[in-house]
Amino acid sequence: MECNEVKEMLSEYLDNRCSVILRERVSKHLLRCRKCSDELNMLKNAVDFLKDVKDEEVPEKFYLGLNKKIEYADLSAGGKLKIFFNLKNASVALGGILLGVFLGMGIMTLLPKSSMNVAVKTENNAAYNNISSGESVNRLVVKTSNINSANGKIDELRKKFDVSSNSEDALKIIPKRYVIVVNGSNYNDFMDELNRIGFIKQEDLPMYNKNTRLTRPVRMELELEEIK
Amino acid sequence: MREIDKKAYEVLKEASLNYEKELIRKVQKTRDKEAFYKLVKLYDGRVFSLAYRFLGNKEDAVELAQDVFLRIYRKINQYRFEALFVFWLQRITVNMCFNKIRTYKKDLLKRAADFDYRVETADNSHERGDPLFIMEEEEKKVFMRECLGKLPPVYRMVVLLKDIEGFSYEEIAKLTKSSMGTVKSRLSRGREELKSIFCRLKKEVKEYGM
């Protein structure tokens, strides 16, 4: 066997993947050929080096990121309402809408004492049945790639609609979460405004504007979620 | 391996496979997050290492590794315990790696910068002996990535799958969707190139007396 033939077989020879005949021929050649024998050794060193190196260390951000992705995957799988806007249009996307009843702070001082509905509903339709009867909270998760712009929009909304007392400001401490308490009578206008600035899509608007019975203030919680 | 070591090894292997099976079953049944993250912990290093050493870019590797495990989480019920779990896992990794690297073609210059080959970073305190084995662990990792980066991607992947991941020729053929002959020749050429790179380094080290 010639050296150049042997050289091509060295890799398989190393892994014991040659046929018996070939293996024997290569072995015989190696016994009398110093050059090829050295080649095999160098190859073996290279391979051993690779085997010897440990796994790369997984950075912390891997787990943080994975966590987020898994949470989000669970949310999507749950079938909650999710609408996305194209980021390039610099609009914000509507995440999920959860309606629940909040034994909250400020609302209690604004309303006369009435029966409190403590049920937490997650389907949009069912929740609307509760709006007139007790405190209710509309929570919008707004996904945005431009937090500053979204912040600005929310500030404008507040100036226009917010009737809450100052104790509500305590919630500002929670980053990216805003509370706007909207008078019942302004509720539809508020929804229209949300649509105008892009927080709600046009086609979803009718779903929110059903309520003519709203007499009590509605507490809107807007939560900003940054997406890249 | 001694006979008793072999047995101990087999027992351990069986035990860890059973552990893994239990975790997978839990996730399949109830989407048990705790079980899932334990599963992640078993293989995060391997998936990340494969991605990082293939792509040469840490950020991309992190993202890719996350996407691999995300896919596992979402499609866990497709796993039927026929093949090894790690095989399924790495098959996803390999596919994603090749998909990712295709996007690099347009950005060659930027990627090339990640593969800067710097001999000076090798530890100078030892003058004798094979520099390959004297480097510190971290240096070895950097050096390995740099050398691997010089290989064409298809050779690089086969070398990674064989000599680091430890898959068989047959498994590699399946993982890379190529024939046995292709695997053999790519592995042979990949190792040959790597060997030349290492030899060149040794020569340089000897010449410059580092």
Side-chain angles (χ1 to χ4, degrees):
Chain A
M1 228 177 158
E2 295 300 322
C3 285
N4 59 336
E5 285 176 292
V6 169
K7 207 172 176 205
E8 283 184 14
M9 294 306 302
L10 284 180
S11 177
E12 284 176 67
Y13 181 82
L14 194 64
D15 295 332
N16 209 358
R17 294 289 307 207
C18 299
S19 63
V20 178
I21 298 169
L22 261 175
R23 183 166 190 87
E24 216 184 291
R25 285 165 75 182
V26 172
S27 300
K28 277 194 179 145
H29 179 97
L30 290 172
L31 280 172
R32 56 183 166 77
C33 179
R34 186 59 197 272
K35 199 170 142 235
C36 286
S37 182
D38 283 345
E39 281 286 322
L40 181 66
N41 276 335
M42 288 192 284
L43 190 68
K44 191 169 185 303
N45 277 347
V47 171
D48 285 345
F49 175 76
L50 292 177
K51 284 195 191 347
D52 192 46
V53 183
K54 296 192 170 65
D55 280 344
E56 299 281 349
E57 202 177 306
V58 184
E60 192 59 41
K61 57 182 170 180
F62 164 78
Y63 299 104
L64 296 171
L66 181 62
N67 222 349
K68 277 192 187 158
K69 289 181 179 177
I70 298 284
E71 293 301 323
Y72 181 69
D74 273 345
L75 226 58
S76 309
K80 293 184 178 117
L81 182 66
K82 245 181 191 30
I83 305 162
F84 278 95
F85 284 89
N86 191 331
L87 294 176
K88 284 182 190 163
N89 297 332
S91 52
V92 294
L94 185 66
I97 298 183
L98 303 171
L99 291 187
V101 176
F102 215 69
L103 295 176
M105 303 169 261
I107 282 276
M108 303 290 278
T109 62
L110 290 171
L111 304 171
K113 288 210 172 112
S114 57
S115 63
M116 283 182 266
N117 248 325
V118 197
V120 176
K121 305 268 182 189
T122 53
E123 296 98 28
N124 300 316
N125 289 333
Y128 273 91
N129 294 333
N130 278 332
I131 273 194
S132 60
S133 51
E135 295 90 26
S136 61
V137 175
N138 283 346
R139 192 155 144 253
L140 254 73
V141 175
V142 176
K143 289 191 192 290
T144 172
S145 62
N146 188 343
I147 283 270
N148 291 330
S149 154
N151 273 336
K153 286 176 185 170
I154 292 179
D155 271 335
E156 280 171 34
L157 277 172
R158 284 182 113 192
K159 282 182 194 146
K160 249 178 149 173
F161 293 98
D162 195 13
V163 297
S164 62
S165 64
N166 283 338
S167 61
E168 293 306 318
D169 287 41
L171 267 179
K172 255 199 205 159
I173 298 165
I174 301 169
K176 298 173 194 164
R177 191 180 290 174
Y178 301 88
V179 173
I180 302 177
V181 179
V182 178
N183 269 329
S185 50
N186 284 342
Y187 182 74
N188 286 337
D189 290 332
F190 181 73
M191 283 301 164
D192 285 337
E193 188 67 21
L194 285 181
N195 169 242
R196 193 187 63 77
I197 57 178
F199 280 27
I200 306 181
K201 256 188 189 167
Q202 181 65 39
E203 51 258 36
D204 297 313
L205 207 49
M207 182 165 54
Y208 306 127
N209 278 345
K210 283 200 269 191
N211 300 282
T212 50
R213 299 177 291 163
L214 273 179
T215 49
R216 306 216 158 111
V218 179
R219 182 189 168 98
M220 298 294 303
E221 272 185 28
L222 287 117
E223 190 172 320
L224 290 181
E225 204 176 293
E226 193 162 26
I227 38 174
K228 293 199 182 132
Chain B
M1 250 193 242
R2 285 176 357 180
E3 203 49 55
I4 192 150
D5 289 342
K6 233 190 200 173
K7 250 201 165 162
Y9 173 75
E10 290 300 317
V11 170
L12 273 174
K13 198 171 162 195
E14 172 118 14
S16 67
L17 266 176
N18 282 336
Y19 173 64
E20 180 184 289
K21 262 189 193 162
E22 279 315 303
L23 289 175
I24 298 170
R25 288 222 169 90
K26 270 191 187 165
V27 182
Q28 282 178 333
K29 270 198 191 141
T30 59
R31 298 194 88 66
D32 185 333
K33 288 245 184 68
E34 200 183 319
F36 174 70
Y37 281 109
K38 283 185 182 163
L39 200 57
V40 172
K41 260 293 177 197
L42 289 178
Y43 293 109
D44 55 2
R46 281 178 76 169
V47 171
F48 176 67
S49 296
L50 182 60
Y52 190 11
R53 285 163 182 166
F54 182 73
L55 296 173
N57 181 290
K58 203 175 203 179
E59 279 68 43
D60 288 349
V62 168
E63 200 180 325
L64 193 144
Q66 288 168 345
D67 290 341
V68 170
F69 285 107
L70 181 66
R71 171 91 60 99
I72 296 287
Y73 183 70
R74 286 167 58 214
K75 313 249 167 169
I76 192 81
N77 289 305
Q78 286 178 11
Y79 179 66
R80 304 224 197 280
F81 300 94
E82 285 152 353
L84 278 178
F85 181 73
V86 70
F87 182 80
W88 181 44
L89 193 62
Q90 295 295 50
R91 193 170 62 191
I92 296 172
T93 309
V94 169
N95 285 339
M96 286 193 180
C97 277
F98 277 119
N99 287 339
K100 187 70 194 174
I101 209 158
R102 261 177 235 131
T103 68
Y104 283 12
K105 274 188 190 159
K106 306 156 192 168
D107 216 4
L108 260 178
L109 286 172
K110 175 170 175 278
R111 300 299 166 189
D114 294 330
F115 286 121
D116 270 338
Y117 180 48
R118 281 161 287 145
V119 176
E120 302 84 67
T121 58
D123 185 38
N124 299 344
S125 60
H126 308 276
E127 277 150 6
R128 288 191 188 78
D130 191 332
L132 280 186
F133 292 92
I134 283 167
M135 283 189 252
E136 298 294 329
E137 192 64 37
E138 268 318 299
E139 289 169 325
K140 280 188 191 175
K141 288 181 188 169
V142 173
F143 177 68
M144 183 210 265
R145 283 199 309 267
E146 288 169 351
C147 294
L148 284 170
K150 293 181 180 313
L151 299 180
V154 284
Y155 294 0
R156 196 187 311 152
M157 183 54 91
V158 181
V159 170
L160 282 169
L161 291 175
K162 181 85 191 85
D163 294 328
I164 296 174
E165 279 295 302
F167 287 112
S168 70
Y169 280 47
E170 288 79 9
E171 285 168 332
I172 296 173
K174 283 193 193 148
L175 287 168
T176 57
K177 297 174 207 157
S178 37
S179 70
M180 189 66 86
T182 309
V183 172
K184 284 183 179 178
S185 76
R186 282 177 181 170
L187 184 62
S188 178
R189 294 207 188 117
R191 280 168 164 176
E192 180 62 39
E193 278 195 40
L194 215 53
K195 189 205 72 187
S196 327
I197 295 168
F198 287 172
C199 290
R200 222 187 315 145
L201 170 77
K202 283 195 215 176
K203 250 173 129 187
E204 285 178 22
V205 168
K206 277 200 182 119
E207 277 172 20
Y208 296 108
M210 283 161 69

